[in-house]
Amino acid sequence: MREGRSEQHRTAGGRRPDTAGSRRMHWWALLAATFVLFAALTGCADFSSQDRDQAAGQFSANNDSFEQKQKTPSPEPSAPQNPGPPPTGPCVDPDPQVIATCLASTGGLMPGDDQATTTVVAERTTGKLITAKRYGPQRAIASFDVDGSGDGGLVDFALSPTYSQDRLIYALVTTASDNRVVRIAPGDVAKPILTGIPKGATGNMGALYFRSPTELLVATGDAGDPASAANPTSLAGKLLSVTSFGSGANPPPKILAAGFGSNVALCHNDTGSVYVTDRTQTEDRLQAVGSGAPKVLWTWPDRPEVAGCAVSSGQIFVTTTRTQQILALTEPTRDKPTITPPTVVLEKRYGALGRIVSSTSGAMLFATVNKASGNPVGTDDRVVRFIPPASSENRA
């Protein structure tokens, strides 16, 4: 592994005050918890007719701002309580940190509560969105018709910023003809928001992130064609800003950044900084997205197959598929822009790793991708709870 290039980066869309960023993270956790509760009450819904947008009509408008709530302190991450004697069966994993088992190959995921003891996870190859907790029942709360071949399928999802009112879920999916962003509501059909993202045998993995109540960031892979990532007329290999959410003809998204490779993932901190991991033909990368071109923070010429990233307590955590690791890098700041070399904080314990996400308490969840890229065991694929080690460097 060689040391990558590091330089001071600017935040995407400008630096936000800490209080606003913390409020956004708190709201995200509240919505996630509401999502799991709603799933438990409603059971399984099917939104398989993704192209019947004309018959389905228009969506109701999004609210223009987040509901203002008083910030409450986030508790420190704690170990899950012992629920008693474990059940028996082929899908019971003895590891106490494993909270979901026997999943199809996974895509995006999110915590369902502040302590990350529950999860919502996308089964990439089946198109199902699953809620789960350790020893608890798994519920499919949405099901999409997807093309799960290669690395396509139900790639990622994001809750509407006003989910507690509108119950809308956005998803990045692969169809028979393209990759696209859709959104769905309980009892309704999925409706296209952004279509025509190139599809390939590989390079379909991307990510979604609501940067504000009215802006959805969409990261797309290069669809197996690196030249398309640099082509301004192509939606492949880009970071896109989507601000129109109707089911009819929407204006083209704004291109914020270009040149991304395959397996593109997004992560962010609570002050608005956005980071991207991806794989190219010559190296894997971690980059910061600001107002200009992406800033390369670290490169891996040995190509460990970076799969996802998450930010917590001043550290960026990166998962890898081939080398089966979680790596920790100290997040750059204005005063200390130089990024430190990666430290291995977990290695070859759960097999091939996919996406990773942080919760407001600092606990994390990551998903395995052993069925697609590893040697699966009987309880794969899994979602695992992870408490990251504290940084050895004081970044205050």
Side-chain angles (χ1 to χ4, degrees):
M1 180 181 299
R2 73 170 167 84
E3 185 174 350
R5 296 158 287 184
S6 68
E7 44 189 310
Q8 183 175 352
H9 70 278
R10 291 168 292 182
T11 62
R15 199 77 170 178
R16 291 179 173 81
D18 288 349
T19 55
S22 299
R23 183 166 58 247
R24 181 175 64 253
M25 291 294 291
H26 180 62
W27 246 99
W28 175 88
L30 290 175
L31 292 177
T34 303
F35 181 53
V36 174
L37 176 60
F38 180 73
L41 295 174
T42 58
C44 179
D46 192 337
F47 307 100
S48 59
S49 301
Q50 297 178 12
D51 292 316
R52 290 187 287 170
D53 51 304
Q54 291 183 351
Q58 294 287 324
F59 288 109
S60 59
N62 280 334
N63 288 351
D64 291 334
S65 62
F66 286 109
E67 180 182 352
Q68 299 299 307
K69 287 186 175 288
Q70 182 71 29
K71 179 188 174 185
T72 57
S74 296
E76 291 296 320
S78 58
Q81 294 182 350
N82 187 352
T88 60
C91 290
V92 176
D93 196 301
D95 189 321
Q97 299 305 322
V98 174
I99 67 171
T101 59
C102 294
L103 298 165
S105 191
T106 60
L109 77 164
M110 64 182 292
D113 60 83
D114 285 346
Q115 293 294 321
T117 60
T118 60
T119 187
V120 186
V121 56
E123 286 191 326
R124 179 180 61 79
T125 52
T126 69
K128 294 179 180 178
L129 198 58
I130 304 293
T131 64
K133 65 179 181 179
R134 183 164 175 80
Y135 301 152
Q138 294 185 2
R139 296 182 183 273
I141 59 169
S143 179
F144 299 85
D145 286 334
V146 299
D147 180 356
S149 61
D151 60 357
L154 177 52
V155 173
D156 199 13
F157 65 96
L159 302 186
S160 162
T162 52
Y163 178 80
S164 60
Q165 288 81 42
D166 57 34
R167 296 294 194 264
L168 294 175
I169 307 169
Y170 291 74
L172 177 60
V173 300
T174 308
T175 72
S177 59
D178 66 358
N179 288 297
R180 59 177 58 187
V181 178
V182 299
R183 76 176 186 179
I184 57 179
D188 203 351
V189 296
K191 300 175 183 179
I193 301 301
L194 174 63
T195 61
I197 302 169
K199 168 192 174 183
T202 60
N204 301 293
M205 287 292 287
L208 301 179
Y209 163 52
F210 270 102
R211 184 161 63 173
S212 77
T214 57
E215 183 187 26
L216 175 65
L217 298 186
V218 181
T220 66
D222 64 6
D225 178 16
S228 67
N231 184 348
T233 66
S234 173
L235 297 180
K238 306 294 192 299
L239 181 63
L240 308 171
S241 172
V242 176
T243 56
S244 298
F245 303 113
S247 60
N250 288 325
K254 180 181 179 180
I255 297 177
L256 301 180
F260 297 116
S262 63
N263 212 296
V264 185
L266 292 175
C267 56
H268 60 93
N269 64 16
D270 59 4
T271 60
S273 298
V274 177
Y275 303 101
V276 180
T277 58
D278 71 334
R279 308 172 187 174
T280 72
Q281 294 179 319
T282 59
E283 62 189 9
D284 294 354
R285 302 179 297 191
L286 169 66
Q287 301 181 81
V289 178
S291 57
K295 308 289 186 181
V296 176
L297 300 178
W298 197 266
T299 63
W300 289 268
D302 57 333
R303 301 174 66 192
E305 298 183 357
V306 296
C309 64
V311 183
S312 179
S313 301
Q315 297 186 91
I316 306 171
F317 296 87
V318 176
T319 50
T320 68
T321 299
R322 182 180 63 80
T323 57
Q324 304 177 5
Q325 296 174 329
I326 298 179
L327 305 169
L329 303 93
T330 302
E331 189 179 8
T333 65
R334 180 177 289 105
D335 294 332
K336 295 183 178 181
T338 302
I339 199 165
T340 58
T343 301
V344 177
V345 295
L346 184 144
E347 184 173 24
K348 295 183 178 179
R349 182 171 175 181
Y350 298 97
L353 305 186
R355 299 304 202 211
I356 185 171
V357 65
S358 60
S359 71
T360 54
S361 69
M364 293 184 168
L365 294 176
F366 63 85
T368 68
V369 288
N370 287 309
K371 287 184 175 178
S373 303
N375 297 309
V377 299
T379 55
D380 275 325
D381 269 315
R382 295 166 284 173
V383 174
V384 183
R385 188 174 184 268
F386 175 67
I387 304 298
S391 174
S392 60
E393 181 178 357
N394 183 5
R395 303 288 286 184

